[in-house]
Amino acid sequence: MKTVGFVISRKENEKRRALCLEDIEKIRHKDMLFFEKGYFDDFGISDDEIEAHGCKTVSREEVLKKDIICDPKVGDAQYLEILKNQTVFGWTHAVRNRDITDRLVSGSLTSYAWEDMFEKGRHIFYRNNEIAGEVAVLHAYQIFGKMPYETKVALLGRGNVGNGALKILTLLGADVTIYGRRQEELFRQELDRYDVIVNAVLWDTKRKDHIVSKADLLRMKKGSMIVDISCDKNGAVESSVPTTLDEPVYYESGVLHYVVDHTPTIVFKTATREISKQVVRFLDLLIEGKEDIILKDAKNIECGKIIDKRIIEFQSR
């Protein structure tokens, strides 16, 4: 049996957790779960309540000694350097991040990447992506100072993030036009019609062009806004640079840019609920040293050896 450590993310303003207290009851091997002290403080849940469910609360140092480290933001973690011959279970984003890959390899770690967990073709954490779209729109418009029903919006992308953004925009009365990947030229032609541009396209970093260039900003309406939910630096939107919740916006060429890179934490209780629904399905398997097809396909590094060919191909460019 393997132990699982649940560590508190130290990413700025990150409050999402990997598991909800009530979902612990669905796990057979509760005694193998170790939570960092204060894990649910932001939820109003004490360490005593965690232990009443049959788990343990221990220091951060002890959590990081466990066989498996479960952390939604493991890809942003500063503790990877001290892990050795262990397993990490969370969003790693190793394909696009050479630094993360190097740390996973040097520690001879095994990595199960949440971003690569799919069931029957659908990403199992799709609701987190939808929430990102929902919350980004809500938060950005508060800063923008307008209600959506006063604005004409171009929405770039038809995936889960775009679906979340569309839900809120539609419910709040925005006039929305959706542009798919094959309509980039059409969008560029019509860009100056919109008060708000929402980007929900995961950018292909092999591309050297942009859907919205810096020069395009000069064509946009005065007082307009870009909400870049995908947050790819200088990606689909050339002028985009990821921002934080403390400083969520900036202006360039008179256009307000909102590029917060982890919006679901704004509604951390809702986001945690959705994350936990999926995480709880795999904990007993991991504890027992087993894999189903979803875990097997999501394993990108094993004992320090890269097994996901995309990592090698992407990072060898």
Side-chain angles (χ1 to χ4, degrees):
M1 295 288 185
K2 297 183 178 181
T3 54
V4 183
F6 294 86
V7 65
I8 298 172
S9 174
R10 290 186 175 175
K11 181 177 175 66
E12 185 180 28
N13 294 312
E14 182 57 66
K15 294 184 178 182
R16 284 174 293 176
R17 299 292 183 259
L19 201 62
C20 286
L21 186 68
E22 54 267 34
D23 281 338
I24 292 174
E25 289 305 314
K26 301 175 184 177
I27 301 167
R28 293 189 300 276
H29 307 294
K30 301 177 184 62
D31 58 325
M32 305 303 283
L33 305 183
F34 295 80
F35 293 85
E36 181 177 347
K37 288 184 178 297
Y39 192 79
F40 287 122
D41 281 358
D42 288 321
F43 296 73
I45 297 170
S46 69
D47 291 344
D48 288 342
E49 290 177 85
I50 297 175
E51 298 207 352
H53 281 70
C55 309
K56 300 289 191 300
T57 57
V58 296
S59 68
R60 185 180 184 85
E61 181 181 29
E62 287 300 314
V63 165
L64 293 175
K65 292 178 181 178
K66 302 310 173 188
D67 300 314
I68 301 164
I69 306 301
C70 186
D71 177 9
K73 301 301 291 183
V74 66
D76 295 307
Q78 299 303 311
Y79 55 74
L80 290 180
E81 291 86 351
I82 68 174
L83 302 183
K84 300 295 178 184
N85 303 306
Q86 294 159 273
T87 295
V88 295
F89 185 48
W91 282 300
T92 63
H93 302 296
V95 173
R96 291 169 172 262
N97 194 319
R98 179 62 180 269
D99 177 59
I100 296 299
T101 300
D102 288 345
R103 286 191 281 170
L104 294 170
V105 170
S106 65
S108 297
L109 303 180
T110 295
S111 167
Y112 292 98
W114 286 3
E115 63 269 22
D116 293 325
M117 296 182 73
F118 289 84
E119 185 172 35
K120 297 179 181 178
R122 184 170 73 177
H123 186 215
I124 70 166
F125 292 103
Y126 76 96
R127 274 293 295 138
N128 191 81
N129 296 332
E130 289 182 343
I131 290 169
E134 294 165 5
V135 178
V137 168
L138 287 170
H139 192 212
Y141 268 87
Q142 290 180 54
I143 299 168
F144 192 38
K146 289 185 178 181
M147 289 297 291
Y149 56 71
E150 295 183 86
T151 60
K152 188 174 179 62
V153 182
L155 174 59
L156 311 181
R158 300 175 181 270
N160 293 324
V161 173
N163 286 340
L166 180 62
K167 180 192 299 183
I168 299 301
L169 289 166
T170 302
L171 286 172
L172 295 179
D175 179 3
V176 184
T177 301
I178 305 171
Y179 294 89
R181 290 182 181 273
R182 296 182 181 180
Q183 298 170 304
E184 290 179 15
E185 277 303 317
L186 177 63
F187 164 70
R188 291 189 186 97
Q189 179 182 327
E190 300 176 346
L191 169 145
D192 59 353
R193 300 180 181 181
Y194 299 103
D195 305 294
V196 177
I197 294 172
V198 177
N199 176 47
V201 174
L202 178 62
W203 194 238
D204 180 355
T205 55
K206 291 182 291 186
R207 291 180 58 170
K208 302 303 180 185
D209 63 338
H210 312 278
I211 300 177
V212 181
S213 69
K214 290 184 178 180
D216 287 330
L217 301 181
L218 301 176
R219 296 174 46 220
M220 292 180 64
K221 284 186 177 181
K222 183 177 181 180
S224 58
M225 175 174 68
I226 292 175
V227 182
D228 191 349
I229 309 171
S230 295
C231 299
D232 295 307
K233 183 177 181 180
N234 309 130
V237 180
E238 184 181 13
S239 52
S240 280
V241 178
T243 58
T244 67
L245 288 175
D246 289 336
E247 297 183 37
V249 297
Y250 59 90
Y251 282 93
E252 182 158 338
S253 298
V255 177
L256 184 67
H257 286 60
Y258 176 97
V259 201
V260 177
D261 71 351
H262 61 306
T263 54
T265 192
I266 295 174
V267 290
F268 62 92
K269 293 178 181 178
T270 298
T272 296
R273 173 70 265 161
E274 296 298 333
I275 290 170
S276 182
K277 287 178 184 178
Q278 302 305 323
V279 170
V280 72
R281 299 170 53 192
F282 302 97
L283 288 177
D284 281 315
L285 283 173
L286 291 169
I287 290 169
E288 295 170 5
K290 299 176 182 178
E291 293 177 344
D292 63 3
I293 187 63
I294 297 174
L295 284 171
K296 183 178 181 180
D297 289 346
K299 184 162 61 178
N300 53 8
I301 296 174
E302 185 171 23
C303 299
K305 180 180 179 181
I306 298 173
I307 59 177
D308 186 340
K309 294 180 180 178
R310 296 174 306 160
I311 296 177
I312 298 172
E313 291 170 358
F314 182 83
Q315 297 183 4
S316 63
R317 294 171 189 163

